[in-house]
Amino acid sequence: MSRDAGNPQALIPLVIGVSGHRDPLEIDKGQLARQVAVLFESLHAQYPHTPLRLLTPLAEGADQIVADAFLLLPVKTRGELIAVLPMPLELYEQDFEGAALVQFRAALARADRVIEIPLAAGADRSSIEPAGAARDAQYQRCGQFVSRHSQLLVALWDGRPAHGRGGTGDIVQYRQRGCFDERQDSILDLEERGPSWHLVTPRASHAERQQACVPPTPYAEHWLFPPMVRGDLEPEGYFRGLWREIDTFNADAHGLATQHVDAIPHSEQSLIPDSAIAALPDSCRQMRLRYAVADALAIRLQRRWRRLQRLLHLFAVLTLLAFEFGQFDGDALGGHYKPWAYSTACVFMILAFLTYRRGSGLRLQDRYQDYRALAEGLRVQFFWTLAGVRQTAADRYLGRQRNALDWIRKALRTATLPLTNFRSEGLYPHAEAYWVRSQNDYYRQSEDARRERRAALWSRTLLSVGLIGLVGLVISTWMGASSFARACWMSAFVLPTGFAGIIDHYAGKMAFSEHAKLYARMSRMFDYALELLTESLQRKDSLAVERVVEDLGIAALEENASWLMLHRERPLEMPHQ
């Protein structure tokens, strides 16, 4: 697999699900295909850095019309075509006859991946083979899967209610109301709702087109957006905003591919080395590549953000020095340089403001923190997958901040599909060595505690010097000292006190103290997890290993969400006290 960050497999795709009738009118198929192609071209124009991915059961009729239009897109525009089968292939093929079966097999052969929906609880092959409730339940589960894992649903539908379970009308309703199932912590979780693009599609099974399409007009297009819980969120703007965030990430990934070609391999090795990944399936290598892109971007943007913070605070120091020199010159040296000093202070203040506006416009802080959150979610998902943990990070991450950071959860769900879970004891040591032990070493070696102590020491020292300057200023004033002496004491008070305030502001923005506490807590947690994991591996207790990895992943996601919100409360701003 290419390590190029511009490779579509390294990007976060816009996932399009498909649902539609199996029996569109033959004369309508060309028109339907053209309108679907226009939709795809419009999405590419609006989100040019984001590949499209198609999820479809490849059923006869609408599914294959959309798939054909998708496959005609330029290679750089489209990502994967993933076939989602509602049941084992040999049973699903019973739905097709003659030429339809040949067309289905040809369409399936062009799919990049195939996902088979597991049988419902209590069902077996014999129960779903004949037509009936059990087989309909599989179609319903397939439709829910497509709806749940899509960011946009394309519905070629006549607008009439579904006649059975899992019909297109049901799938559209799932998009509007949500699919409630055992994976959700609460039925009030609205994560699964999303927009649909409805193309009114007459059906051949209706005797008259007019009867089939009242009140909608044939070929009419409708965007359907679910209502939002928060009244201040406009549905269309909200969902398109999520897609813009994903496109921004992909644009940054393209830039990384051209400017920092060595960053990707380094981040890949930091997750798991090439020697260990070689035996794993392609889905794991793809997830590792996406982690590496998010991690490398987060590191690069973090460095730029830290440089920006240092530059802002340097301008604050220079402004204070220039202003205080003007004061000193006016009080002690006759004021010959006072206008120049004040002008210089003004220039530094303007430079600080321009730097602040530049950083705000680039959204360095938000982007670096979002990409770090995405990388950590992918890290947890990767090792959950290796350990056979049947959890998804998207369902466990940022549960309390879903309005502000929904795009990260959407990207996580997209980036980790399809998942391949293992139940192989031979892979468990990978989770111990490359995640638990590696992350524990990282938290232990964090320098934020030392930085916090150093900043506090400098601040206390400068405040002490400032206090001495203040005492000297008071004594010199009472004793009627010369203006030069008073100006010296004033500078001895103002400069150290101002520098201490700038250092405190910088340390607060960098959250040294909070990081030190957070990392110490995480180190203790990973220490204990490492102890439990080592004991479980020695006992060859696979269930205990999976439980430790699962619980540690949930805790790591919760702590990372706390880290993210900690920094969200510290936006970029001009230094002040």
Side-chain angles (χ1 to χ4, degrees):
M1 179 180 297
S2 171
R3 283 172 167 171
D4 180 4
N7 175 4
Q9 293 185 327
L11 305 177
I12 305 297
L14 177 60
V15 182
I16 302 171
V18 183
S19 184
H21 299 311
R22 296 190 177 203
D23 59 343
L25 293 169
E26 190 67 30
I27 61 173
D28 290 341
K29 289 183 178 180
Q31 177 64 29
L32 297 173
R34 285 190 292 272
Q35 290 184 244
V36 170
V38 170
L39 170 68
F40 290 156
E41 291 168 1
S42 173
L43 291 172
H44 175 62
Q46 295 176 67
Y47 314 104
H49 304 96
T50 301
L52 305 180
R53 172 191 281 176
L54 197 68
L55 283 182
T56 172
L58 288 177
E60 186 178 0
D63 283 17
Q64 294 187 21
I65 290 172
V66 177
D68 288 341
F70 179 80
L71 291 170
L72 290 176
L73 293 171
V75 175
K76 291 186 177 180
T77 300
R78 64 177 173 87
E80 297 174 307
L81 190 159
I82 300 180
V84 184
L85 307 185
M87 57 194 70
L89 177 60
E90 61 273 18
L91 297 182
Y92 187 41
E93 285 188 339
Q94 295 175 8
D95 285 354
F96 304 88
E97 295 180 354
L101 179 59
V102 174
Q103 292 172 356
F104 168 72
R105 288 175 173 172
L108 188 64
R110 293 183 295 174
D112 296 287
R113 296 176 188 270
V114 177
I115 296 176
E116 182 182 302
I117 301 298
L119 299 184
D124 56 29
R125 293 174 64 94
S126 62
S127 66
I128 65 170
E129 185 169 2
R135 191 176 182 91
D136 289 344
Q138 286 302 119
Y139 290 118
Q140 184 178 45
R141 287 166 61 84
C142 181
Q144 288 181 333
F145 181 92
V146 170
S147 175
R148 178 181 177 84
H149 291 87
S150 301
Q151 295 165 26
L152 172 65
L153 179 71
V154 170
L156 275 59
W157 173 45
D158 63 3
R160 297 163 65 95
H163 295 295
R165 296 175 66 183
T168 300
D170 278 350
I171 305 305
V172 174
Q173 286 300 309
Y174 296 153
R175 293 293 288 178
Q176 297 295 299
R177 302 177 57 188
C179 316
F180 308 136
D181 59 32
E182 68 278 2
R183 286 182 298 253
Q184 292 176 254
D185 295 329
S186 167
I187 63 172
L188 300 180
D189 178 5
L190 303 177
E191 163 68 13
E192 298 177 8
R193 305 195 309 178
S196 302
W197 182 77
H198 173 204
L199 176 58
V200 178
T201 304
R203 302 187 65 177
S205 58
H206 290 277
E208 298 180 2
R209 174 182 296 193
Q210 186 176 4
Q211 176 187 0
C213 297
V214 175
T217 304
Y219 314 139
E221 301 175 10
H222 306 281
W223 281 89
L224 307 177
F225 292 93
M228 306 302 296
V229 174
R230 281 178 50 188
D232 60 330
L233 291 176
E234 190 273 320
E236 181 172 358
Y238 166 77
F239 284 103
R240 291 190 182 277
L242 299 183
W243 299 344
R244 282 194 298 271
E245 292 288 354
I246 292 175
D247 195 62
T248 297
F249 171 85
N250 290 329
D252 287 339
H254 279 288
L256 185 71
T258 57
Q259 300 174 17
H260 301 272
V261 294
D262 295 331
I264 302 297
H266 182 271
S267 289
E268 283 185 313
Q269 295 295 326
S270 72
L271 182 69
I272 189 170
D274 288 341
S275 58
I277 198 71
L280 300 179
D282 186 63
S283 60
C284 285
R285 290 193 289 272
Q286 183 172 320
M287 198 187 311
R288 177 188 183 229
L289 176 59
R290 286 190 172 131
Y291 162 83
V293 172
D295 181 65
L297 281 173
I299 292 172
R300 176 171 173 260
L301 290 169
Q302 181 185 35
R303 289 171 180 167
R304 292 179 62 186
W305 176 72
R306 285 179 172 174
R307 287 197 298 267
L308 181 70
Q309 287 284 8
R310 294 183 186 121
L311 189 59
L312 276 175
H313 289 82
L314 174 62
F315 283 141
V317 168
L318 295 175
T319 300
L320 179 60
L321 281 172
F323 182 82
E324 182 55 30
F325 179 76
Q327 288 289 98
F328 182 84
D329 180 58
D331 293 340
L333 302 178
H336 301 295
Y337 300 103
K338 189 173 184 178
W340 291 100
Y342 285 167
S343 298
T344 302
C346 183
V347 168
F348 286 134
M349 183 64 73
I350 293 173
L351 289 174
F353 178 74
L354 293 176
T355 302
Y356 159 74
R357 289 300 300 270
R358 173 68 171 168
S360 298
L362 292 174
R363 297 178 58 239
L364 292 177
Q365 181 175 355
D366 288 351
R367 286 158 61 206
Y368 121 66
Q369 291 164 6
D370 287 1
Y371 300 169
R372 173 51 56 206
L374 177 60
E376 293 310 307
L378 288 169
R379 186 203 303 272
V380 170
Q381 187 66 71
F382 181 85
F383 287 105
W384 271 355
T385 302
L386 292 192
V389 175
R390 299 192 178 275
Q391 288 272 13
T392 57
D395 292 332
R396 291 290 185 172
Y397 201 23
L398 299 168
R400 298 179 182 177
Q401 298 86 21
R402 292 187 175 176
N403 284 331
L405 300 166
D406 273 353
W407 87 267
I408 299 175
R409 300 181 73 244
K410 298 285 187 184
L412 270 176
R413 190 180 302 283
T414 298
T416 55
L417 178 74
L419 293 176
T420 303
N421 289 85
F422 305 92
R423 191 173 295 275
S424 169
E425 294 184 7
L427 296 175
Y428 293 155
H430 290 347
E432 177 198 19
Y434 303 123
W435 181 35
V436 183
R437 195 177 299 278
S438 176
Q439 283 293 98
N440 191 31
D441 291 343
Y442 169 79
Y443 289 124
R444 281 183 171 181
Q445 296 168 10
S446 171
E447 296 185 357
D448 279 352
R450 182 176 59 83
R451 290 167 179 160
E452 191 272 336
R453 290 192 299 269
R454 187 168 58 190
L457 176 61
W458 273 103
S459 182
R460 288 193 300 268
T461 301
L462 289 169
L463 284 175
S464 299
V465 173
L467 180 61
I468 294 171
L470 178 60
V471 171
L473 176 62
V474 171
I475 293 175
S476 64
T477 301
W478 278 101
M479 295 182 62
S482 66
S483 60
F484 180 82
R486 292 197 303 274
C488 288
W489 285 113
M490 175 64 77
S491 296
F493 163 62
V494 171
L495 289 177
T497 304
F499 293 158
I502 292 171
I503 290 174
D504 279 343
H505 187 271
Y506 177 75
K509 283 296 176 184
M510 304 304 290
F512 290 148
S513 177
E514 292 82 356
H515 282 178
K517 297 173 184 176
L518 174 64
Y519 292 168
R521 184 167 64 250
M522 291 297 289
S523 179
R524 291 193 296 271
M525 181 174 65
F526 271 81
D527 258 335
Y528 184 50
L530 185 60
E531 178 183 338
L532 293 177
L533 197 58
T534 303
E535 293 175 356
S536 301
L537 287 171
Q538 290 174 348
R539 298 197 310 268
K540 297 184 178 181
D541 187 343
S542 60
L543 292 179
V545 170
E546 291 174 22
R547 179 64 185 274
V548 172
V549 172
E550 178 180 357
D551 288 353
L552 184 61
I554 293 172
L557 292 174
E558 290 174 349
E559 291 293 345
N560 187 259
S562 299
W563 172 90
L564 181 60
M565 298 314 299
L566 169 70
H567 282 281
R568 274 291 195 270
E569 296 169 358
R570 288 167 167 77
L572 183 69
E573 60 185 6
M574 295 283 287
H576 65 277
Q577 277 297 109

